[in-house]
Amino acid sequence: MKVSIVSRSGREIISGGLQIDDSATVSDLQEAIHQRRRKYYPARQRLTLPTKPGSKERPVVLIPSKKLQDYCDGNLDKLTITFKDLGPQVSYRTLFLLEYLGPLLIYPTIYYFPVYKFFGYKEERHIYPVQTYAMFYWCLHYSKRILETFFVHRFSHATSPLSNVLRNCAYYWSFGALIAYYVNHPLYTPVDDLQMKIGFGFGLVCQISNLYCHLILKNLRDPSGKGGYKIPRGFLFNIVTCANYTTEIYQWLGFNIATRTVAGYIFVMAAIYIMSKWAIAKHRRLEKLFDGKEGRPRYPRRWVILPPFF
């Protein structure tokens, strides 16, 4: 089989194309491209079928495990594939480790070491119990996230653009430093004991619930990361589409009830904005996939992310 590899503008990526065995898979084609153009390793490649000029339809993305014959449309002699360079990639596990490791190290550094002397505060800092509990709560959260990254999460995509490392680390590391700075500040005024216990107690329940939600989502995916979408069921997923995001937001609300800083609440609002966009997109996608037509189940009526608001 002759396979022509072209860019979206129609320019040949590999001059003369590639001669591929008729039984080859898309993954085999990616390896063949990599052999000819060492720069484009498989994770960096996005292969699609060509679209008609002016078409607004989304191109068909080639699945690595499928055979090339599945995309030939009856013509087994020649196949044209559109190639897109996704740029340098990094594994999702590496990305998550880097973005979570920053706040896990930054927060206790600000708690334990006399960093405030560099900001003009020369006197000995008095540490309140809430500040100690907040530090342990924070470290528990990010340790949990790192462990989930390696032992719980299954990723539908193996890699992410390298540029996301800088963006995500800037987000998590900056907020980690900002919140730690204000919660552990020498002039910090703690909340009363009852409010602290309610906040941390509620937050810990949400952390445990969040872990359980992730275990439910793990069991929806094939160990290889393939298998398509399924309707999540059980526990909070029976009432909320993105219960994992819901518990993530509410666990930080608990933290802020206990610590009460402006920086903490700004972090919560940013998290609500970001995760709401993800949740709405996922909710709409599930409603579209499970529309009750042609034997498909209908997606049940649920809150999107933040009951009782939406």
Side-chain angles (χ1 to χ4, degrees):
M1 179 191 301
K2 177 73 173 295
V3 182
S4 298
I5 314 296
V6 299
S7 66
R8 287 183 291 181
S9 64
R11 179 180 60 85
E12 272 197 319
I13 300 297
I14 297 177
S15 180
L18 292 169
Q19 195 67 37
I20 300 291
D21 190 271
D22 289 349
S23 61
T25 64
V26 174
S27 181
D28 294 330
L29 174 61
Q30 289 179 314
E31 287 293 342
I33 295 172
H34 180 45
Q35 291 299 318
R36 290 286 297 274
R37 301 289 297 272
R38 300 300 298 178
K39 175 182 177 182
Y40 301 130
Y41 47 88
R44 188 168 175 162
Q45 302 173 27
R46 183 175 185 262
L47 305 180
T48 62
L49 294 180
T51 55
K52 295 180 180 179
S55 174
K56 294 183 179 180
E57 293 184 3
R58 303 182 82 175
V60 176
V61 179
L62 276 59
I63 300 171
S65 60
K66 278 196 168 187
K67 290 188 176 182
L68 289 171
Q69 290 181 355
D70 297 336
Y71 299 101
C72 285
D73 197 23
N75 183 7
L76 300 180
D77 296 325
K78 186 175 181 181
L79 177 65
T80 299
I81 299 297
T82 300
F83 171 93
K84 180 181 179 182
D85 176 19
L86 297 176
Q89 300 287 299
V90 63
S91 74
Y92 268 102
R93 284 190 169 85
T94 300
L95 171 64
F96 287 171
L97 174 63
L98 291 174
E99 67 186 41
Y100 298 152
L101 191 60
L104 179 60
L105 297 177
I106 290 170
Y107 199 105
T109 298
I110 293 177
Y111 172 84
Y112 281 112
F113 294 97
V115 296
Y116 292 96
K117 290 184 178 180
F118 296 103
F119 297 97
Y121 297 95
K122 303 297 183 182
E123 296 181 7
E124 200 67 30
R125 178 168 63 99
H126 176 76
I127 299 177
Y128 296 99
V130 65
Q131 293 172 314
T132 301
Y133 297 146
M135 191 271 296
F136 284 120
Y137 183 102
W138 183 279
C139 291
L140 172 66
H141 171 77
Y142 282 102
S143 297
K144 165 183 162 292
R145 278 196 166 189
I146 290 173
L147 290 172
E148 286 174 340
T149 296
F150 288 97
F151 301 109
V152 177
H153 294 321
R154 289 174 178 167
F155 303 100
S156 56
H157 300 287
T159 61
S160 171
L162 183 61
S163 58
N164 286 348
V165 173
L166 180 61
R167 183 197 64 187
N168 290 17
C169 287
Y171 173 81
Y172 281 103
W173 294 29
S174 297
F175 268 119
L178 192 66
I179 293 170
Y181 175 82
Y182 283 106
V183 173
N184 296 292
H185 198 280
L187 301 181
Y188 174 77
T189 303
V191 300
D192 62 71
D193 192 59
L194 177 61
Q195 182 174 331
M196 177 190 72
K197 290 178 179 177
I198 290 173
F200 284 137
F202 176 70
L204 285 172
V205 169
C206 290
Q207 286 220 46
I208 295 169
S209 299
N210 182 257
L211 171 60
Y212 188 51
C213 287
H214 287 158
L215 291 172
I216 291 174
L217 292 175
K218 173 189 176 182
N219 292 329
L220 287 180
R221 284 193 183 276
D222 184 88
S224 65
K226 302 167 187 175
Y229 289 98
K230 298 178 183 177
I231 298 176
R233 301 183 189 277
F235 192 46
L236 296 176
F237 286 107
N238 289 335
I239 57 174
V240 188
T241 292
C242 294
N244 51 320
Y245 297 157
T246 304
T247 50
E248 176 77 14
I249 290 169
Y250 281 130
Q251 71 182 6
W252 284 119
L253 180 61
F255 177 86
N256 283 297
I257 289 171
T259 56
R260 196 180 59 185
T261 64
V262 173
Y265 280 108
I266 292 173
F267 179 57
V268 170
M269 295 306 296
I272 290 173
Y273 173 74
I274 294 168
M275 284 187 272
S276 293
K277 288 178 66 176
W278 295 343
I280 290 169
K282 183 173 183 180
H283 187 81
R284 288 174 177 169
R285 185 162 55 245
L286 289 171
E287 284 186 323
K288 184 177 180 180
L289 287 171
F290 301 103
D291 54 9
K293 300 176 181 178
E294 300 178 2
R296 293 185 292 270
R298 178 176 289 279
Y299 191 72
R301 186 176 180 84
R302 292 175 177 173
W303 299 99
V304 178
I305 181 173
L306 285 176
F309 305 108
F310 67 95

